[in-house]
Amino acid sequence: MGKLFICDHPLIQHKLTYIRDENTNTKDFRELVDEVATLMAYEITRDIPLESVKVRTPVAEANGKMISGRMLGLIPILRAGLGMVDGILKLLPAAKVGHVGLYRDPETLQPVEYYVKLPTDVQQRELIVIDPMLATGGSAIMAIEALKKRGCSQIKLMCLIAAPEGVKAVQEAHPDIDIYVAAVDDYLNDHGYIIPGLGDAGDRLFGTK
Ligand code: PRP
Ligand code: URA
């Protein structure tokens, strides 16, 4: 079973509360999502292996450590996942970015795939699938399936807020995937919204609606 990591750093929790607040405007919402994505990237990269290197300081030789040439890929689920990309790239500037376009049918709540564009060497990369919301889990499950179908095997999932239902669904469908979230909320309402959640992440990021 994949692990669930709750990123409970005080800075993340503080900013998440502003993100939830209905009075937070689009500009601030976007900036806060970006900042939390950077902070979560710090947590999700904790297990990246290091290698020993030597470096000359102005006065002597020092033994240092550097990240051992990992090839990373970010896979935002369109559209709300886009809001987290730049924040992660601040820490992982060499990562390539692939896109999986899905929308959730408002009647059935089932995800519908409309776009997939991935780096050509995606199979060799460690991938982080990004989406602010993990509600029923349908979108994340389908995005991960789209990656596995194309030969990818090293995949993590990063979301801001999850419903318990979504976590369970992803863990059942993809037991090999670790999930990183800032919070697990109470439940899903009849429209598939996370309660208390933050509302519609895409609409709040892009000022639609
Ligand atoms: C939202 C959200 C997730 C999905 C989560 O996207 O960004 O992708 O819903 O729901 P699920 O876990 O039940 O699948 P939405 O379909 O509203 O599309 P958008 O990002 O284009 O607004
Ligand atoms: N998608 C959102 O944007 N918000 C939710 O609460 C659920 C799905």
Side-chain angles (χ1 to χ4, degrees), residues 80 104 131-136 139 161 187-189 191-204:
R104 208 169 63 148
D131 194 324
M133 309 306 277
L134 179 62
T136 64
S139 302
I161 301 181
Y187 65 97
L188 286 180
N189 72 9
H191 304 288
Y193 274 83
I194 301 174
I195 303 300
L198 54 71
D200 188 302
D203 284 342
R204 294 198 62 192

Side-chain angles (χ1 to χ4, degrees), residues 16 37 39 59 68 73 79 83 101 117 124 132 139 152 175 190 202 208:
L16 183 63
L39 294 166
V59 286
S68 56
R79 78 196 146 131
K117 181 76 180 174
Q124 280 108 59
S139 302
C152 305
D190 293 343
T208 45

Side-chain angles (χ1 to χ4, degrees), residues 33-184:
V33 168
D34 180 78
E35 287 167 9
V36 169
T38 306
L39 294 166
M40 289 186 73
Y42 182 82
E43 301 272 7
I44 205 168
T45 50
R46 250 176 210 289
D47 61 352
I48 285 190
L50 294 169
E51 62 189 12
S52 298
V53 293
K54 292 202 185 301
V55 67
R56 272 213 75 80
T57 76
V59 286
E61 188 173 77
N63 293 316
K65 299 211 181 294
M66 293 193 93
I67 291 169
S68 56
R70 278 297 166 99
M71 307 232 300
L72 298 172
L74 308 183
I75 313 290
I77 301 179
L78 305 180
R79 78 196 146 131
L82 289 175
M84 298 171 74
V85 171
D86 287 350
I88 301 173
L89 285 176
K90 276 180 201 143
L91 290 192
L92 304 171
K96 289 196 174 169
V97 182
H99 297 87
V100 176
L102 302 174
Y103 71 88
R104 208 169 63 148
D105 182 297
E107 300 297 322
T108 64
L109 300 184
Q110 292 305 305
V112 181
E113 183 181 301
Y114 61 87
Y115 186 73
V116 178
K117 181 76 180 174
L118 302 172
T120 48
D121 57 357
V122 71
Q123 299 89 353
Q124 280 108 59
R125 291 184 175 267
E126 284 185 29
L127 304 177
I128 307 174
V129 174
I130 323 163
D131 194 324
M133 309 306 277
L134 179 62
T136 64
S139 302
I141 289 170
M142 188 178 267
I144 294 165
E145 270 163 18
L147 296 173
K148 287 185 173 174
K149 227 165 40 189
R150 291 164 176 82
C152 305
S153 57
Q154 302 183 77
I155 306 170
K156 291 175 175 170
L157 174 63
M158 185 203 267
C159 305
L160 291 188
I161 301 181
E165 295 90 331
V167 172
K168 184 164 179 281
V170 172
Q171 286 179 329
E172 283 173 5
H174 297 294
D176 54 319
I177 301 290
D178 289 342
I179 307 172
Y180 292 74
V181 298
V184 178

